[in-house]
Amino acid sequence: MRRLTFALCLIASASFITLNVPGWVSAKDEPAAATKGKKPAEIRDPIAEPLKLDSGPVRGLAVGEDKDVHVYRGIPYAAPPVDELRWKAPQPVQPWSEVRECFEYGASAPQKITPMLSMFPGMALAPPLSEDCLFLNVWAPAKKPEQPLPVMVWIHGGGYTMGSSSQRLYDAEDLARRGDVIVVSINYRLGPLGFLAHPELSAESEYKVSGNYGLLDQIEALRWVQRNIAAFGGDPNRVTIFGESAGGGSVFSLLASPLAEGLFHRAIAESGPTLNFTHLKKSHYGFQSAEEAGVEFAKKCGAPEGAGQIAALRKMNPEDLVKVSPALDDQREFNIRSNMLRMAPVVDGWVIPDDPMLLFAEGRQNDVPVIVGANRDEGTMFTLMSKLPLGMEALEQSLTSNFGAVLGPQIRELYPVAATSEIRTAVADLVGDIVFVAPARFVARSVANDKQPVYLYHFAHPAAGPTGKMLGAHHGAELPYALDNLELTPGHTAVDKAIRDAMVGYWTQFAATGNPNREGLPEWPTYDPAQDKCLQIAEKIEVTTNYRKPKLDLIDQFMDAWRAEGADAGK
């Protein structure tokens, strides 16, 4: 039986779909790529007066021609998670007394770097990489506000296995220059160092759990914001978390986690992936448990079977652990029932207390206003270099094996293919809807049943320049607009600038008030499942109704059935 095989773009988030990954290189192999997308020689001066944090004094830089933005890079928010602290919850940072110069980004989490990142403006990742990676960055207007400003905390994407807050696309200088918000971006542990579950690690834990160290890092960073952001002019009572891809998935996880309650007050999830998480100790969705996957991972690393695997893994270099990361498998298939080894958030009963689909469906998430959405052409990036089914029969076989004898033909009807040449487009639409568009609407529908408002969007504007001509409104295409970094994108036009201004306006207004609507922008209604309205962001920004409804309804039906099936199997 043939299955659909795809190329994994490195901006993409981890999901249940298994993908084909192109060749990887280490950080030392691509110093030139890391320079792409940087601003011209930064105009910067050290700020005369240091700020006092709970851990010690820090000095930042005044940047820009008018020195109108203050930036503090590489502030440690937790102790280095090394040696015996590897696979532990983040610990308090060691205080310092001398002024710490926070001029440069801290190290990124250990990971493999791919040349493919440099295909997308501002996404190239530069060394250093280090297990000592728990740093954050703060951008604030130089002019102190009369009233504390709302705070936006950015969580980067990268499939929970790659990425960094230091990637140029995530620079928040221009966003802070507008004077409406203070922006914080964070690093967190990735891959096996951030998401390894194992019976021995669970036994060590006070709560008898393991696996969500990267999420615990994010929660610790939010605690840091609560303790320290007032020193930068920020309002700890108006904190918005926002992220894209795995960052959007992290927003979903933080919404689902009782440990994050009260640490943020609004949430924006851009292209967050599916919510069918692996469970810690039992099989769900046909996946092996996270602890079973951890034992398998330890064996692949060369750790002896039986007791002592974690002690052996703690002696290994982080680079050697990353090499065995499941994100590096050469051949991956589009097989939603795959039992492949995965490193991502898990249902552990503590950080994530229950299946996220169930938590959202029952309204048990943290009760805050939400913006959620995805892009029109999410799947094009995944099918760009894909080996697709060779003909109609192979396509139908794949759909039946993935969705079953009843829903498979219905999927085929809703994503029609009249000729082999149309398979790529149909598969791209299907992948994008399953992994990103349907989860966005599912979360919107679930949260809308609660007392807080939710706003659903659909980004339908092709990316500026040649990438947009090839991939359309692809996965991550909204980032230069929402993050006010459109200057990184070649060939952008006045229309692109207008869309950028609108998105920044909606996002920052939401951060300030919990409602994105502001004067001069098209009205964005709250989401009502009965009306199924969303804001379509394109050359014309307008409200649409029942967007892709038959397709998304069928995907919801499949996911509900799969969740119920998985829950029964896990008993």
Side-chain angles (χ1 to χ4, degrees), residues 547-570:
Y547 186 83
R548 294 186 180 180
K549 188 176 188 303
K551 295 178 178 179
L552 302 187
D553 284 351
L554 185 59
I555 291 170
D556 281 352
Q557 181 183 342
F558 166 71
M559 295 300 294
D560 285 344
W562 194 19
R563 176 173 60 80
E565 171 191 319
D568 291 339

Side-chain angles (χ1 to χ4, degrees), residues 19-50:
L19 303 160
N20 177 48
V21 182
W24 297 76
V25 297
S26 66
K28 65 178 183 295
D29 294 327
E30 60 157 30
T35 65
K36 293 184 179 180
K38 288 188 176 180
K39 286 187 175 181
E42 186 179 52
I43 301 173
R44 61 188 206 173
D45 286 325
I47 300 168
E49 190 68 25

Side-chain angles (χ1 to χ4, degrees), residues 269-355:
E270 303 172 26
S271 301
T274 51
L275 292 160
N276 57 335
F277 288 12
T278 300
H279 288 232
L280 181 63
K281 295 182 179 295
K282 295 181 179 180
S283 170
H284 277 66
Y285 300 100
F287 304 147
Q288 63 186 150
S289 74
E291 286 188 347
E292 290 171 335
V295 171
E296 179 182 331
F297 174 80
K299 292 178 183 178
K300 287 186 176 182
C301 289
E305 295 191 32
Q309 281 192 329
I310 291 302
L313 292 181
R314 283 196 171 116
K315 293 178 181 178
M316 293 183 65
N317 293 326
E319 295 82 4
D320 293 330
L321 297 173
V322 169
K323 287 178 183 177
V324 188
S325 168
L328 306 181
D329 293 352
D330 288 334
Q331 290 297 322
R332 297 186 171 192
E333 298 173 329
F334 174 50
N335 176 14
I336 64 176
R337 297 178 184 274
S338 169
N339 197 29
M340 64 167 285
L341 188 63
R342 306 193 300 174
M343 294 293 172
V346 302
V347 178
D348 62 357
W350 179 51
V351 182
I352 306 293
D354 205 340
D355 192 288

